[in-house]
């Protein structure tokens, strides 16, 4: 089954539907998730939605493309959006989000003790899975505020796109782990009895870990756990609530990939995982799809034509024969390069319409030679052969991408697909994001795609 027979992902009905409240863009790193999320936000806003885009990508170019000096943990309005809607954008600040949770769910004294704790500062800045969990927390916060009718989420760049879904469970496992329960026990017992329990029950473990990690580290962890005791239940409940929100009918997952083997392999795995978790999958966005405006000319014929030009002496001197000082008699009389309006084409010399060009008054002005400053002079035939080889390389890329896409479609024929033609450069402004949105809405990359 080829990609042309796969159902088409219709973007505009998705973003226009008022029941669509959350769109989650997920996939492997480096496939254009952030740009896709931003382009969806621009298109939805210009079609009348009030949108906020939550991105985790720290690259400044996205903020610049939206006309914002910098993105932070607070939604910022994007100016220059056309139409009746509104667009705001923000970039997740992992530590600040964690701090906000502490400040919102602990009294002033306890909050200060937590924020100043060295273990908390390490945990909030870079603990494995914290970024993914904080993205979930921020999504839950934005949805609870109900200020926007559409939230577009760019999932964190990570080794596995599954980390975003696994974050709530991983946090729950961490909080329910034996080590944390042991550390929490003194706080639950309280007073001197608690300290006695800590001294007796943890003596062996503390002695061993103290040698490995240091006694101060263990004290920081124990103080952190004690201070956070009342908040652990809140972490779990919010994580569960956000997970259920992702399963709700108003959420749509878009798996973003490039037409490359590794990216589509991970996309296929993610599609299967979404099905297992009963997450609502809208479809696959396939970025950077290549095409050709001369797709009717296959790579084999283009290479054969280039070799013909080489074989007839174009690009190299043709040896002269007896009575043929210019070597022209060694060329096949039935194949002559015709110069018409600056274009090179092969024609039959027996065509009665053929007219021999007027001889150039000066060799330096001959139309058969093109000169580029700083480059050696090259004949039109040489350039034609080079262009044919470039076209052959492009058609080989197109064929390879089609085979890769067809393998994915064969595995998941039910998944709707939208193709986005490759752009010649990076997106750096709203015009570029608008262009991406148009290409997304088109659904299929045209044959003349870049």
């Amino acid at each position: 089954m080829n990609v042309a027979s796969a159902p088409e992902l219709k973007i505009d009905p998705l973003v226009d539907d008022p029941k669509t409240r959350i769109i989650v863009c997920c996939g492997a790193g480096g496939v254009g998730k952030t740009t896709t999320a931003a382009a969806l936000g621009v298109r939805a806003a210009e079609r009348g939605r009030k949108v906020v885009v939550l991105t985790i990508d720290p690259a400044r170019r996205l903020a610049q493309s939206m006309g914002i000096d910098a993105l932070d943990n607070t939604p910022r309005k994007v100016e220059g959006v056309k139409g009746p809607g509104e667009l705001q954008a923000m970039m997740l600040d992992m530590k600040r989000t964690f701090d906000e949770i502490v400040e919102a769910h602990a009294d002033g004294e306890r909050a200060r003790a937590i924020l100043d704790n060295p273990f908390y500062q390490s945990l909030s800045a870079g603990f494995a899975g914290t970024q993914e969990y904080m993205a979930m927390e921020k999504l839950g916060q934005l949805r609870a505020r109900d200020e926007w009718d559409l939230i577009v989420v760019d999932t964190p760049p990570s080794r596995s796109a599954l980390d975003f879904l696994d974050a709530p469970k991983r946090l729950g496992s961490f909080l329910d782990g034996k080590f944390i329960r042991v550390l929490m026990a003194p706080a639950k017992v309280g007073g001197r009895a608690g300290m006695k329990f800590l001294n007796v029950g943890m003596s062996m473990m503390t002695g061993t870990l103290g040698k490995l990690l240091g006694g101060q580290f263990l004290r920081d962890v124990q103080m952190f756990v004690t201070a956070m005791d009342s908040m652990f239940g809140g972490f779990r409940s919010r994580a569960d609530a956000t997970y259920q929100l992702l399963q709700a009918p108003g959420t749509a997952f878009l798996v973003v990939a490039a037409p490359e083997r590794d990216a589509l392999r991970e996309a296929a795995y993610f599609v299967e995982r979404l099905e297992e978790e009963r997450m609502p999958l809208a479809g696959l966005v396939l970025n950077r799809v290549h095409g050709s405006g001369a797709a009717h000319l296959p790579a084999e014929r283009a290479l054969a034509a280039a070799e013909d030009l080489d074989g007839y002496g174009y690009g190299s001197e043709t040896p002269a024969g007896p009575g043929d000082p210019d070597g022209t008699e060694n060329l096949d009389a039935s194949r002559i390069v015709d110069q018409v309006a600056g274009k090179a084409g092969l024609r039959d010399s027996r065509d009665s319409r053929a007219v021999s060009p007027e001889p150039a008054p000066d060799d330096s002005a001959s139309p058969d030679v093109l000169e580029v400053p700083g480059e050696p002079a090259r004949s039109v035939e040489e350039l034609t052969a080079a262009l044919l080889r470039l076209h052959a390389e492009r058609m080989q890329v197109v064929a390879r991408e089609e085979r890769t896409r067809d393998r994915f479609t064969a595995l998941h024929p039910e998944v709707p697909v939208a193709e986005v033609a490759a752009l010649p450069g990076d997106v750096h402004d709203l015009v570029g994001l608008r262009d991406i949105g148009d290409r997304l809405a088109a659904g299929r990359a045209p044959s003349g795609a870049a």
Side-chain angles (χ1 to χ4, degrees):
M1 181 177 183
N2 58 43
V3 72
S5 59
E8 183 177 338
L9 173 59
K10 299 185 182 298
I11 291 295
D12 285 344
L14 177 66
V15 300
D16 290 344
D17 188 352
K19 295 180 181 178
T20 304
R21 302 299 303 274
I22 299 173
I23 295 177
V24 181
C25 297
C26 51
V31 296
K33 285 190 311 236
T34 302
T35 301
T36 298
L40 286 169
V42 171
R43 190 166 188 86
E46 293 188 337
R47 296 176 69 86
R49 304 293 298 271
K50 187 174 182 181
V51 189
V52 60
V53 176
L54 169 61
T55 180
I56 291 84
D57 186 354
R60 286 183 55 83
R61 67 176 182 275
L62 181 63
Q64 292 169 349
S65 69
M66 291 184 167
I68 301 174
D69 292 334
L71 292 175
D72 55 21
N73 216 40
T74 302
R76 307 286 181 185
K77 185 177 180 179
V78 178
E79 303 292 345
V81 173
K82 303 175 182 178
E86 181 181 324
L87 175 63
Q88 296 184 10
M90 62 182 297
M91 185 183 71
L92 177 71
D93 184 329
M94 181 175 62
K95 188 177 187 313
R96 183 59 200 149
T97 300
F98 213 147
D99 292 348
E100 290 173 353
I101 296 171
V102 172
E103 293 167 351
H105 295 90
D107 57 56
E109 184 178 349
R110 177 169 290 193
R112 178 50 49 196
I114 294 172
L115 296 176
D116 291 341
N117 184 275
F119 178 74
Y120 167 78
Q121 293 173 1
S122 298
L123 175 72
S124 60
F127 189 77
T130 303
Q131 185 182 53
E132 288 78 13
Y133 177 76
M134 287 303 133
M136 297 279 280
E137 276 279 354
K138 182 57 68 175
L139 172 59
Q141 291 175 9
L142 295 175
R143 185 67 181 86
R145 288 168 62 176
D146 204 27
E147 294 182 22
W148 304 273
D149 55 27
L150 179 62
I151 302 170
V152 182
V153 182
D154 160 41
T155 54
S158 58
R159 290 183 179 180
S160 173
L162 304 180
D163 289 347
F164 184 71
L165 290 179
D166 289 334
K169 292 181 180 179
R170 188 161 53 248
L171 179 74
S173 298
F174 171 72
L175 297 180
D176 290 331
K178 292 181 180 179
F179 182 60
I180 293 296
R181 290 204 304 270
V182 169
L183 292 177
M184 288 175 63
K188 293 184 180 295
V189 175
R192 294 183 178 179
M195 292 306 297
K196 183 177 180 181
F197 175 88
L198 176 65
N199 291 334
V200 175
M202 294 185 64
S203 59
M204 292 182 63
M205 183 179 69
T206 303
T208 302
L209 292 179
K211 293 178 182 178
L212 295 174
L213 304 175
Q216 184 60 47
F217 174 80
L218 287 179
R219 285 190 291 274
D220 291 341
V221 173
Q222 202 276 332
M223 291 176 62
F224 164 76
V225 172
T226 300
M228 291 283 287
D229 180 24
S230 62
M231 296 180 57
F232 282 160
F235 276 110
R236 273 190 292 266
S237 62
R238 288 193 304 277
D240 291 341
T242 305
Y243 197 76
Q244 293 172 7
L245 181 64
L246 292 176
Q247 292 177 314
T251 299
F253 278 83
L254 289 177
V255 177
V256 184
E260 301 166 359
R261 184 181 60 182
D262 291 343
L264 277 173
R265 182 188 294 122
E266 188 157 0
Y269 184 38
F270 200 85
V271 166
E272 294 165 3
R273 174 65 187 279
L274 288 173
E275 292 174 352
E276 292 175 4
E277 301 291 336
R278 298 181 181 179
M279 299 287 181
L281 173 64
L284 171 73
V285 173
L286 206 55
N287 280 330
R288 302 168 189 163
V289 176
H290 292 89
S292 173
H296 59 280
L297 178 61
E300 295 78 7
R301 287 184 58 191
L303 287 174
E307 290 172 0
D308 283 348
L309 286 172
D310 292 339
Y312 290 119
Y314 301 130
S316 60
E317 292 187 7
T318 303
D324 180 27
D326 295 328
T328 55
E329 290 183 3
N330 288 337
L331 298 179
D332 187 336
S334 66
R335 296 175 66 84
I336 301 175
V337 174
D338 189 15
Q339 309 295 331
V340 180
K343 296 182 180 180
L346 295 177
R347 65 170 175 81
D348 194 318
S349 63
R350 291 168 292 186
D351 190 339
S352 59
R353 294 172 296 176
V355 178
S356 299
E358 292 293 333
D362 185 5
D363 288 341
S364 64
S366 172
D368 291 337
V369 177
L370 297 181
E371 294 187 5
V372 178
E375 297 288 338
R378 302 182 69 181
S379 68
V380 173
E381 292 79 12
E382 287 178 305
L383 292 175
T384 302
L387 288 173
L388 285 168
R389 289 190 173 87
L390 286 175
H391 173 73
E393 292 177 4
R394 168 56 63 87
M395 292 306 297
Q396 289 168 350
V397 169
V398 171
R400 183 174 65 250
E401 291 182 353
E402 288 178 350
R403 289 193 300 270
T404 305
R405 285 177 284 172
D406 291 348
R407 282 195 290 270
F408 174 89
T409 305
L411 288 172
H412 301 283
E414 77 288 352
V415 177
V417 179
E419 297 179 352
V420 180
L423 293 175
D426 291 334
V427 174
H428 54 81
D429 54 19
L430 280 177
V431 174
L433 291 176
R434 202 171 285 123
D435 185 17
I436 292 290
D438 291 341
R439 292 170 185 244
L440 274 168
R444 290 279 188 261
S447 59

